[in-house]
Amino acid sequence: MTRKNLDRPFGKAGVAMLQDGFPPIVERLRQLLPGVLICITIALATTFIADHYGGPTLLYALLFGMALHFLSEEGRCVAGIEFAARTILRFGVALLGVRITVEQVTSLGIGPIVTVVAGVVLTILAGVVLARLMGLHRDMGLLTGGAVAICGASAALALSAVMPRGANSERNTILTVVGVTTLSTAAMVLYPLIAGVLSLTDQQAGVFLGGTIHDVAQVVGAGYMISEETGDVATFVKLMRVAMLVPVVMCFILLYRHAEGSQNSGKIPRLPGFLVAFVVLVIINSLGAIPTSVADGMTDLSRWCLVTAIAALGVKTSFQKLAVVGWKPVILMVSETLFLLGLVLAFILFGLVSL
């Protein structure tokens, strides 16, 4: 059979399909691959350093990324860095749903649930009020308040994904991630000492640590420093705070949809795909349909996606732009952290949390 006969089954239409269908996909991959590989390389390097020498992986990824800021200004890496900062970020947030079940949220009774809900709502409102008092934009108060109240860097990334994109939105996100990660690391060391000074029981200490420390990893570390029971309770309380990410993101969507204009205020806002996926995974996980090995793998994948996305956000941010902001956002996040600390301790010490 001749070469001409071999090609005949495809015909002109088949050749046209190959030319019109596959090349755009290949071209898109060619555009994204350099930037994505840069971000993955940063994630691998920072994870290795954190695993072997200690320290917060996300903070390392930010700093390493910022050192390579020149890659985001022009060249072959720009498209891939943008993809990592948005699409990979949302995928990682969606996969957080495999860490939560409805049973975990309800297992501790009404007291911790009230504490978590009140802490999240009041801390976000306090962030808005404090931001206004300091002369900062309301969006900064909402973003930092949500990050402090819910789950640190992960919440900051999820909330920023549904907030309007402006000239300073990425800079504010980076500042928030750096701030809450640093404060969470300090809290992991200091808060167990506070629990000891106040002679809290293991369960009370678990509610205290899970209700106040920003990031999940630091909550786990601080809880198991005290005892296994404290670590278990702290982890469950923290997961309840993570579960609050869904209603808070929904409130942010409604808030900003209303702010866009009266013609859009009556429309039902579209749910972001990553939020829908998050809720679906929580439901599936609650039904026990996800094997433990699969859930562990998805959790690891989520962590890698978030570290990669943080690296991308770091690459997109320059030290010069951060230096312009000043100390007000730092003072804002410290104030929100102290507010949440005092609120949760008040619930525990005044007997509002029955354990």
Side-chain angles (χ1 to χ4, degrees):
M1 185 178 290
T2 64
R3 175 74 180 181
K4 183 176 181 180
N5 291 332
L6 285 172
D7 294 339
R8 187 174 296 167
F10 293 99
K12 293 183 178 179
V15 173
M17 181 187 71
L18 290 174
Q19 290 176 342
D20 296 337
F22 290 101
I25 298 175
V26 174
E27 177 64 20
R28 180 62 175 162
L29 290 174
R30 188 186 68 81
Q31 292 175 354
L32 296 179
L33 195 58
V36 172
L37 286 177
I38 287 292
C39 298
I40 291 175
T41 302
I42 296 172
L44 289 169
T46 54
T47 301
F48 177 85
I49 292 173
D51 289 345
H52 288 78
Y53 302 102
T57 305
L58 293 179
L59 185 57
Y60 290 160
L62 271 175
L63 297 177
F64 275 50
M66 292 169 69
L68 299 174
H69 171 66
F70 66 92
L71 294 174
S72 68
E73 296 179 342
E74 60 180 351
R76 299 176 58 193
C77 297
V78 174
I81 292 169
E82 289 286 345
F83 179 83
R86 290 181 60 82
T87 305
I88 293 179
L89 161 63
R90 295 185 176 208
F91 184 71
V93 172
L95 290 179
L96 289 173
V98 300
R99 299 163 63 172
I100 305 170
T101 65
V102 175
E103 183 181 1
Q104 287 175 337
V105 174
T106 59
S107 63
L108 291 176
I110 191 64
I113 293 176
V114 171
T115 302
V116 166
V117 173
V120 169
V121 173
L122 294 178
T123 301
I124 293 175
L125 293 177
V128 174
V129 172
L130 290 169
R132 289 291 178 88
L133 292 175
M134 294 179 184
L136 297 170
H137 196 276
R138 180 195 66 174
D139 289 359
M140 192 66 182
L142 287 170
L143 181 62
T144 57
V148 168
I150 303 173
C151 54
S154 300
L157 296 172
L159 295 174
S160 66
V162 299
M163 296 175 72
R165 298 182 65 82
N168 298 324
S169 59
E170 290 176 352
R171 183 191 68 185
N172 292 342
T173 302
I174 289 293
L175 279 170
T176 304
V177 169
V178 171
V180 296
T181 302
T182 304
L183 289 170
S184 186
T185 302
M188 180 179 66
V189 177
L190 296 176
Y191 285 13
L193 300 177
I194 295 175
V197 170
L198 297 176
S199 300
L200 299 180
T201 66
D202 285 346
Q203 288 188 328
Q204 287 176 329
V207 174
F208 168 58
L209 298 176
T212 53
I213 298 178
H214 309 324
D215 289 320
V216 176
Q218 279 82 349
V219 169
V220 173
Y224 287 106
M225 274 186 206
I226 297 177
S227 71
E228 185 172 343
E229 183 181 5
T230 298
D232 290 342
V233 174
T235 301
F236 287 152
V237 172
K238 182 60 186 177
L239 290 176
M240 283 196 287
R241 287 171 67 193
V242 176
M244 287 293 292
L245 185 63
V246 175
V248 171
V249 169
M250 282 299 303
C251 290
F252 273 45
I253 294 171
L254 290 170
L255 174 65
Y256 286 108
R257 174 59 62 93
H258 178 74
E260 285 178 359
S262 57
Q263 72 272 16
N264 295 326
S265 60
K267 296 180 181 179
I268 299 176
R270 290 179 55 191
L271 286 174
F274 77 92
L275 182 60
V276 174
F278 181 95
V279 175
V280 169
L281 286 174
V282 171
I283 295 172
I284 294 174
N285 195 34
S286 299
L287 297 174
I290 303 178
T292 302
S293 59
V294 175
D296 290 342
M298 295 174 72
T299 299
D300 290 339
L301 179 58
S302 172
R303 181 174 64 88
W304 278 107
C305 287
L306 293 179
V307 175
T308 302
I310 283 285
L313 289 172
V315 174
K316 294 178 65 177
T317 305
S318 67
F319 286 105
Q320 183 179 4
K321 291 180 180 178
L322 290 179
V324 175
V325 179
W327 288 97
K328 286 185 178 181
V330 177
I331 297 173
L332 174 62
M333 283 181 275
V334 171
S335 301
E336 291 164 346
T337 299
L338 293 175
F339 175 85
L340 181 61
L341 171 68
L343 183 68
V344 173
L345 277 178
F347 270 82
I348 294 172
L349 296 178
F350 290 103
L352 299 177
V353 178
S354 57
L355 294 168

